[in-house]
Amino acid sequence: MQKWIMFSLFIIACLLGTGVLFQNITARQAEMAHEATAGPTLKFTAANYHFDQPEYTVKAGEKVTVSLLNKEGLHAVEIVGTNVKLDNNNKSMEYTFDKPGTYEVHCALPCGPGHADMKTKLVVQ
Ligand SMILES: [Cu+2]
């Protein structure tokens, strides 16, 4: 009698273990699929009074997720000659840069004494 109980418990434990394993695998697969479809990104990290890179690069004709992160202070980003304008209320957008070239990027929100110098470049290749 006791053997049957032990055996049943063992089977239940095995089934639970397999269930947990499968759940993990499915969750990881979903995560990987999401990463694969995420595509190229262009991320501006802003602080007082500069962006994190002197120059950013994207490929022409590719849909890019453009985003802004205000690490210090309150800034907005504008890419001159495009429709890209982001601020804290509108932190990310998708955009396709069609024309290769160098674009001026600047802060579009009066943020303090260093505002006028808060510029960087975007190179569309
Ligand atoms: Cu500014």
Side-chain angles (χ1 to χ4, degrees):
M1 183 64 191
Q2 234 178 5
K3 256 188 191 171
W4 274 106
I5 291 169
M6 289 304 282
F7 184 70
S8 305
L9 283 175
F10 177 72
I11 294 292
I12 289 166
C14 282
L15 287 174
L16 280 176
T18 316
V20 168
L21 198 71
F22 265 100
Q23 238 174 2
N24 271 349
I25 289 170
T26 330
R28 274 185 59 179
Q29 269 174 346
E31 212 173 279
M32 278 164 76
H34 179 73
E35 268 172 33
T37 54
T41 57
L42 172 62
K43 189 176 176 184
F44 295 102
T45 302
N48 290 343
Y49 295 95
H50 55 87
F51 292 99
D52 61 327
Q53 286 174 227
E55 190 178 293
Y56 300 79
T57 312
V58 293
K59 279 187 187 147
E62 232 178 32
K63 196 197 263 180
V64 180
T65 304
V66 189
S67 65
L68 169 70
L69 174 70
N70 275 322
K71 208 170 83 179
E72 179 192 33
L74 203 58
H75 310 280
V77 68
E78 189 175 31
I79 304 175
V80 180
T82 72
N83 293 324
V84 177
K85 196 173 176 182
L86 297 169
D87 56 33
N88 255 12
N89 297 318
N90 187 21
K91 289 180 187 173
S92 103
M93 67 185 283
E94 286 192 333
Y95 194 82
T96 304
F97 298 91
D98 289 317
K99 270 201 337 210
T102 304
Y103 294 79
E104 189 193 290
V105 180
H106 60 217
C107 176
L109 189 77
C111 54
H115 173 68
D117 298 322
M118 204 168 155
K119 286 175 186 164
T120 182
K121 275 189 287 184
L122 173 69
V123 178
V124 179
Q125 288 175 329

